[in-house]
Amino acid sequence: MKTVYVDPFEGWTPHDKQVEVMQCNARNIVMNCGRRGGKTNVGARKFFDNILADLERGKGLPYKPPRNLKVMKKPKPRLEYWCVSPTYAMSEIQQEELAAVIPEEMIESWDASKNRIWLKGWVLIQFKSADNPKTLVGKGLDGVWLDEASKMKEQTWSGYLSYALADKGGWSVWTTTPEGINWFAEEIVLRGQFIDAGLDDDRYQNDSDWRNFYWTSKDNPIPELQKNIQRMIETYPERYVKREIYAKFNVFHGQVYEEFDRGVHCVDIQPIDLEKRLFLVTYPNGDEREVMFKRYIGGMDHGWNDPAVLLVIGCTNEDYYLLEESYLRQTNVLVVDDRGQLEDCLVKRYLELNKKYPMEVIWADPSEPENISTYRRYKLPVKPAENAIGPGIRRVSSLYKVKESTRRPNLYVSKTLAETIKETGNYKYKEQNGIVLEEPIDQDNHTQDAKRYALYNDWLVLLAAQKREERKKSGKGGWI
């Protein structure tokens, strides 16, 4: 077989970040970048360079070629690689980039109708869509390139591709712009080394098999491109600029609670005296303050396959602190043994939380009155909440907002509430034809519903009490 010498840099002028990618030998390379930063461009070259490295070291040998390729509909390749995009339409970008990289003399056939390339030496490259992850089952792969990976479903990797690569010790190349703190951020980016992309720096795992690369649109030095980028910076809303230009995970379009910022709202809370409801709070700017809560309230969202949630909230005169979360799937509301003693169930766990934080009321999803009755039988102060989504969101948003007069918000979240923090960042409005609707998507909303039930209904109670007091002072009396 004729030897072909390939220089991945020939005819290509990479910027410094792209050069670093090409020089990296990690098994899994993850690129999180701003728009037009050149991630797909270098992703194609790194993908092909990895294939060349596999060929050079003789991977897949010995190999017995099929005798009659025309008869065999699906001959078994010596090496097989996949290029995966969120949709087949988006995979055209991968094909265009690879067409500029792979030398013609290495191509045996390029079948666009079947979304595949056969390279000489029985090497197969297939283009796949991740819109239905179940179609990605059943293959042992030598390598995979996932483009716009953050837009894909978690099962694409965790349910299928990771196992396919494990069969043959394969490698992966990832190229994407962030889409919030989703599975890609939590399960992929945090495996590697720290990048300044809006994730908690103490959660990175530093796995040597994974290497993170991060750059913004500003790092691509093409002059004409930079003119366009600068126009976007000057005209786009700040949240678009942070996500699409500066590639930050913790900001994205359509976020319900745009006011939420981990660097403002997430605090360290340590108990000093639980009986006195006294806590030491350390704020993101380093300030420390002793906070004594006047009362505790709770917010409850029912669930089975979806998680059942109970949030405990400490209240001062004006401020609210989310202290603890119970976040459980497939846990029965009530389980009692033959002696009438509680076994592990939601009632038992919630009673334990209520003993630690005696709540004056727990506002619950009103859609399951049977569960509410069960909790009340066991002396949990559960009440059906007024479930007004729009007004409730506005109330929570107003508490997250940093006030000009005090330069601080009225709502804080303990850093230990991992699910609440993640869902708050991922809680998004629906989009239709590019238009953001004022209706939240029915996902990442379990802690958000519980939070809304508690904070909105507590506000209604306080308003009603205030009106009663005003009527009393005015001498009108009566009930509101």
Side-chain angles (χ1 to χ4, degrees):
M1 183 172 65
K2 181 180 177 181
T3 301
V4 178
Y5 295 95
V6 179
D7 180 2
F9 291 92
E10 185 177 358
W12 179 47
T13 306
H15 58 68
D16 291 345
K17 300 288 186 177
Q18 292 172 319
V19 173
E20 290 180 15
V21 170
M22 295 302 296
Q23 292 174 341
C24 180
N25 294 319
R27 180 183 170 196
N28 303 284
I29 291 178
V30 181
M31 288 170 265
N32 179 72
C33 315
R35 284 180 56 188
R36 305 298 302 279
K39 61 184 181 300
T40 308
N41 181 261
V42 68
R45 283 169 167 78
K46 187 60 183 175
F47 174 74
F48 183 57
D49 194 46
N50 282 359
I51 294 175
L52 295 177
D54 284 349
L55 289 170
E56 186 175 351
R57 66 187 178 89
K59 188 176 183 183
L61 295 177
Y63 171 75
K64 185 177 181 181
R67 293 182 178 180
N68 193 336
L69 184 58
K70 294 180 180 180
V71 173
M72 297 186 67
K73 292 183 179 180
K74 293 183 178 180
K76 183 179 179 180
R78 169 190 163 189
L79 299 171
E80 183 169 355
Y81 305 92
W82 282 5
C83 298
V84 184
S85 288
T87 65
Y88 275 117
M90 295 178 72
S91 74
E92 293 178 1
I93 299 173
Q94 289 179 303
Q95 296 192 46
E96 290 172 2
E97 292 290 348
L98 282 176
V101 175
I102 303 176
E104 289 187 13
E105 58 265 38
M106 284 190 67
I107 299 174
E108 185 71 42
S109 66
W110 192 315
D111 191 338
S113 65
K114 294 183 179 179
N115 291 296
R116 70 187 185 190
I117 309 169
W118 278 99
L119 302 182
K120 291 179 180 178
W122 305 101
V123 176
L124 177 61
I125 300 174
Q126 297 207 64
F127 298 91
K128 296 286 186 176
S129 168
D131 59 351
N132 182 6
K134 292 181 180 179
T135 63
L136 303 175
V137 71
K139 288 282 186 180
L141 299 175
D142 297 282
V144 63
W145 170 24
L146 300 95
D147 190 39
E148 294 301 342
S150 196
K151 297 181 184 295
M152 299 178 190
K153 299 173 183 176
E154 180 179 2
Q155 293 87 345
T156 301
W157 174 254
S158 61
Y160 301 99
L161 293 180
S162 62
Y163 294 106
L165 291 173
D167 288 346
K168 301 174 73 173
W171 44 262
S172 65
V173 174
W174 304 68
T175 51
T176 195
T177 297
E179 288 283 327
I181 304 177
N182 59 6
W183 73 271
F184 171 74
E186 297 276 355
E187 300 297 329
I188 302 303
V189 175
L190 288 176
R191 291 194 189 192
Q193 303 75 29
F194 171 76
I195 55 174
D196 187 18
L199 301 176
D200 295 336
D201 55 2
D202 59 349
R203 299 182 62 203
Y204 286 86
Q205 300 171 25
N206 292 307
D207 188 331
S208 59
D209 279 343
W210 293 79
R211 177 69 167 86
N212 284 330
F213 290 91
Y214 166 72
W215 65 85
T216 74
S217 303
K218 298 286 287 181
D219 290 308
N220 193 339
I222 300 173
E224 189 59 36
L225 172 64
Q226 284 307 312
K227 290 180 182 179
N228 293 332
I229 295 300
Q230 190 58 39
R231 280 196 293 270
M232 292 172 66
I233 292 174
E234 293 171 357
T235 58
Y236 270 32
E238 185 177 1
R239 62 184 181 273
Y240 289 89
V241 172
K242 286 183 177 179
R243 184 188 71 171
E244 300 186 15
I245 305 302
Y246 294 107
K248 298 294 186 181
F249 282 101
N250 55 348
V251 180
F252 52 87
H253 175 57
Q255 186 173 347
V256 172
Y257 295 119
E258 293 179 2
E259 302 81 5
F260 177 73
D261 184 337
R262 292 187 181 205
V264 173
H265 299 97
C266 295
V267 297
D268 182 71
I269 304 178
Q270 299 296 332
I272 297 175
D273 189 330
L274 281 176
E275 288 189 4
K276 295 181 178 180
R277 300 191 293 270
L278 181 64
F279 292 75
L280 177 65
V281 180
T282 306
Y283 298 89
N285 63 2
D287 290 347
E288 290 186 346
R289 187 159 63 118
E290 290 187 1
V291 176
M292 182 177 289
F293 297 118
K294 293 183 176 297
R295 56 199 176 92
Y296 299 118
I297 62 172
M300 178 187 292
D301 192 39
H302 309 294
W304 176 252
N305 288 324
D306 287 332
V309 175
L310 175 60
L311 296 182
V312 179
I313 303 172
C315 314
T316 66
N317 285 332
E318 297 179 350
D319 297 336
Y320 296 86
Y321 291 77
L322 275 61
L323 300 175
E324 284 208 27
E325 65 181 10
S326 173
Y327 191 93
L328 301 166
R329 284 187 171 89
Q330 296 186 348
T331 305
N332 290 305
V333 172
L334 180 64
V335 180
V336 180
D337 65 17
D338 295 339
R339 298 172 298 168
Q341 299 298 311
L342 287 172
E343 296 187 352
D344 188 38
C345 60
L346 294 179
V347 167
K348 183 176 182 180
R349 295 196 181 207
Y350 293 172
L351 284 170
E352 291 170 354
L353 264 182
N354 196 52
K355 182 178 180 180
K356 183 178 180 182
Y357 307 99
M359 289 171 272
E360 69 174 27
V361 62
I362 299 172
W363 295 105
D365 179 353
S367 66
E368 298 189 23
E370 318 83 47
N371 288 343
I372 293 175
S373 295
T374 299
Y375 293 127
R376 291 179 67 85
R377 285 204 313 271
Y378 283 85
K379 308 304 180 183
L380 283 164
V382 180
K383 292 184 179 181
E386 171 63 42
N387 184 16
I389 296 176
I393 286 174
R394 284 195 293 275
R395 174 57 181 165
V396 176
S397 296
S398 71
L399 293 172
Y400 274 131
K401 181 178 175 62
V402 175
K403 312 303 187 292
E404 291 185 9
S405 58
T406 61
R407 297 185 179 180
R408 57 191 300 273
N410 297 113
L411 177 57
Y412 295 94
V413 184
S414 169
K415 288 181 177 180
T416 61
L417 274 60
E419 298 297 339
T420 300
I421 293 170
K422 180 173 70 174
E423 289 193 355
T424 304
N426 289 344
Y427 193 34
K428 298 177 67 177
Y429 285 118
K430 292 180 180 178
E431 288 190 29
Q432 186 174 356
N433 299 323
I435 299 174
V436 178
L437 307 177
E438 290 192 29
E439 181 183 353
I441 299 172
D442 188 20
Q443 64 184 42
D444 295 315
N445 60 350
H446 313 293
T447 61
Q448 303 311 295
D449 286 347
K451 175 174 62 179
R452 174 168 51 81
Y453 297 145
L455 297 176
Y456 178 60
N457 283 269
D458 191 62
W459 182 61
L460 293 179
V461 170
L462 293 176
L463 278 181
Q466 182 181 345
K467 289 182 179 180
R468 286 197 299 270
E469 186 65 25
E470 289 173 355
R471 289 177 65 86
K472 182 178 179 181
K473 288 181 179 180
S474 68
K476 294 181 180 180
W479 292 94
I480 299 296

